[in-house]
């Protein structure tokens, strides 16, 4: 049986798999590849099934008195179980500390993100600054992406149920400490019980695997591509990556534009583009097939007013088959 904590995902009711052994990431490893004894495997499956049926912490000694079993579920704010930590050892062994980990989700249809208190603990978010939901782009503000960013964003744009992804990115905690974070996620099609509409949800688990400086797989705080973008950006201009299919903001590149309503947190003003300017945005998007485009579009501010912005856009290749819009935004001269 295990002597280190096992991180097990069960996202979307999938067959549980191991995604972490101690602080070492695993690639969706089937349980039977790790547990060779049938008795041990059956015991693990039984306790996993128990937690999947009722996601409560388990801490007990087995009936034969030979093993101590501890399971700590990882549950989202909405109560969905994404996985669990599992430890087994001798009844007299001290249960070791485990790495922080937390469940999260991206609603790709609504462009919103949510997580869990475990995840916000990992991020070092103060208790009085915690939100249960925000814009999906807000999830990227504390992440330093790796070389797989293009692949990850491409998967977000395609939003194909059944898609999986794993990577090590760097998290900049709210106290500015840089931590290496391994995440595993699955893309699912689900029905919104409130509306009855089909939505594509990306559900995942993030595990803190140590200080970023000590983990070779973690990316540096600033990758070269972003330094090039910063050098090419004019003063007062802000950059964003936009899904050209939906015109939704995927992420800011660098600092977000001040006073713009984009985070969609709690009782904030709902973000949006002025409906009269949608034809301008659509024309700009279509025009990217021929080259760079520009126009003036009004966006909603935090106070509910509209702000006219000059927008320049260029086509951005995420992979051989997927493009996004790299958008440069600045306040219009007469706004």
């Amino acid at each position: 049986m295990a002597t280190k904590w096992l991180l097990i995902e069960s996202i979307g009711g999938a067959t549980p798999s191991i995604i972490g052994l101690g602080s070492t990431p695993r690639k969706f490893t089937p349980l039977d590849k790790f547990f060779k004894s049938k008795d041990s495997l059956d015991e693990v499956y039984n306790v996993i099934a128990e937690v999947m049926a009722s996601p409560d912490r388990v801490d007990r000694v087995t009936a034969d008195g030979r093993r101590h079993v501890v399971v700590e579920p990882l549950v989202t704010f909405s109560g969905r179980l994404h996985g669990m930590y599992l430890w087994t050892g001798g009844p007299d062994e001290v249960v070791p500390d485990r790495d922080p980990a937390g469940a999260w989700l991206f609603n790709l249809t609504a462009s919103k993100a949510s997580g869990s208190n475990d995840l916000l603990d990992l991020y070092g978010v103060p208790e009085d600054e915690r939100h249960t939901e925000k814009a999906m782009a807000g999830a990227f503000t504390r992440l330093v992406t790796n070389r797989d960013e293009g692949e990850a964003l491409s998967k977000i744009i395609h939003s194909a149920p059944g898609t999986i992804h794993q990577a090590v990115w760097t998290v900049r905690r709210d106290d500015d400490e840089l931590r290496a974070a391994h995440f595993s996620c699955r893309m699912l099609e689900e029905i919104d019980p409130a509306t009855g509409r089909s939505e594509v949800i990306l559900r995942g688990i993030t595990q803190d695997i140590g200080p970023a400086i000590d983990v070779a797989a973690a990316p540096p705080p600033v990758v070269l591509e972003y330094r090039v973008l910063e050098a090419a950006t004019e003063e007062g201009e802000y950059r964003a990556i936009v899904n050209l299919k939906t015109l939704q903001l995927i992420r800011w590149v660098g600092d977000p534009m001040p006073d713009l309503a984009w985070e969609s947190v709690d009782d904030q003003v709902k973000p949006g583009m002025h409906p009269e300017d949608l034809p301008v945005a659509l024309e700009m998007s279509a025009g990217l097939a021929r080259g760079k485009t520009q126009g003036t579009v009004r966006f909603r501010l935090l106070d509910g007013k509209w702000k006219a912005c000059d927008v320049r856009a260029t086509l951005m290749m995420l992979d051989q088959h997927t493009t996004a819009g790299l958008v440069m935004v600045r306040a219009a001269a007469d706004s």
Side-chain angles (χ1 to χ4, degrees):
M1 297 290 281
T3 56
K4 295 181 179 179
W5 283 100
L6 287 179
L7 182 55
I8 297 170
E9 62 85 23
S10 58
I11 298 168
T15 301
S17 66
I18 298 169
I19 55 174
L21 171 59
S23 298
T24 303
R26 291 296 180 102
K27 294 183 177 180
F28 294 111
T29 304
L31 292 171
D32 59 9
K33 299 292 185 183
F34 186 84
F35 294 96
K36 301 302 182 181
S37 161
K38 184 180 183 303
D39 289 343
S40 296
L41 183 61
D42 288 345
E43 184 177 309
V44 168
Y45 271 129
N46 286 338
V47 74
I48 289 174
E50 177 184 337
V51 174
M52 290 178 69
S54 179
D56 299 314
R57 188 176 189 271
V58 173
D59 187 344
R60 63 173 175 244
V61 175
T62 54
D64 60 10
R66 296 171 56 191
R67 286 181 295 278
H68 183 189
V69 179
V70 181
V71 181
E72 297 187 354
L74 299 173
V75 181
T76 65
F77 281 126
S78 63
R80 282 283 290 269
L81 178 74
H82 281 193
M84 63 203 76
Y85 265 116
L86 167 71
W87 179 85
T88 61
D92 297 325
E93 286 186 57
V94 176
V95 179
D97 293 333
R98 64 169 178 82
D99 294 323
W104 54 267
L105 67 92
F106 286 178
N107 184 324
L108 301 181
T109 302
S111 195
K112 294 181 179 180
S114 184
S116 60
N117 273 317
D118 290 328
L119 184 72
L120 299 184
D121 288 343
L122 189 159
Y123 288 163
V125 180
E127 291 288 343
D128 60 349
E129 296 179 16
R130 298 190 171 197
H131 307 285
T132 58
E133 187 176 77
K134 64 193 313 183
M136 190 175 73
F140 285 94
T141 57
R142 56 167 49 85
L143 299 176
V144 181
T145 55
N146 218 322
R147 299 294 178 181
D148 69 316
E149 181 184 4
E151 178 188 357
L153 297 186
S154 174
K155 290 176 178 178
I156 286 174
I157 287 174
H158 287 294
S159 295
T163 300
I164 61 174
H165 194 74
Q166 289 183 300
V168 175
W169 289 359
T170 293
V171 167
R172 187 183 299 276
R173 286 169 42 98
D174 282 17
D175 57 9
D176 282 335
E177 183 179 358
L178 297 177
R179 306 290 298 183
H182 177 252
F183 69 90
S184 306
C185 53
R186 295 181 183 272
M187 204 172 289
L188 311 168
E189 184 175 14
E190 301 181 2
I191 301 299
D192 182 350
T195 65
R197 291 194 297 251
S198 174
E199 296 180 325
V200 178
I201 312 294
L202 183 65
R203 295 186 176 275
I205 294 173
T206 294
Q207 178 187 15
D208 181 330
I209 58 174
I213 195 171
D214 295 338
V215 178
V222 182
V223 296
L224 179 60
E225 289 89 339
Y226 289 155
R227 287 191 176 132
V228 171
L229 282 173
E230 287 177 354
T233 302
E234 299 177 5
E235 185 177 354
E237 195 168 56
Y238 301 88
R239 297 148 294 146
I241 299 174
V242 173
N243 185 337
L244 295 176
K245 294 181 179 180
T246 63
L247 299 183
Q248 290 178 334
L249 171 68
I250 298 177
R251 68 162 300 178
W252 291 98
V253 182
D255 294 332
M257 188 172 188
D259 301 323
L260 206 63
W262 65 271
E263 284 192 279
S264 187
V265 171
D266 296 340
D267 58 353
Q268 281 188 355
V269 172
K270 185 178 179 180
M273 177 194 306
H274 199 292
E276 294 178 3
D277 296 339
L278 180 59
V280 176
L282 291 172
E283 184 178 355
M284 289 178 62
S285 178
L288 288 175
R290 301 183 295 275
K292 297 179 181 179
T293 59
Q294 59 184 16
T296 300
V297 178
R298 287 166 289 179
F299 296 107
R300 202 189 308 269
L301 297 177
L302 288 171
D303 61 7
K305 297 178 181 178
W306 296 102
K307 183 180 185 67
C309 296
D310 290 332
V311 180
R312 296 187 296 122
T314 187
L315 208 58
M316 179 182 187
M317 296 296 298
L318 298 176
D319 59 28
Q320 289 183 326
H321 309 289
T322 313
T323 58
L326 178 62
V327 175
M328 280 66 72
V329 184
R330 65 183 306 125
D334 56 352
S335 65

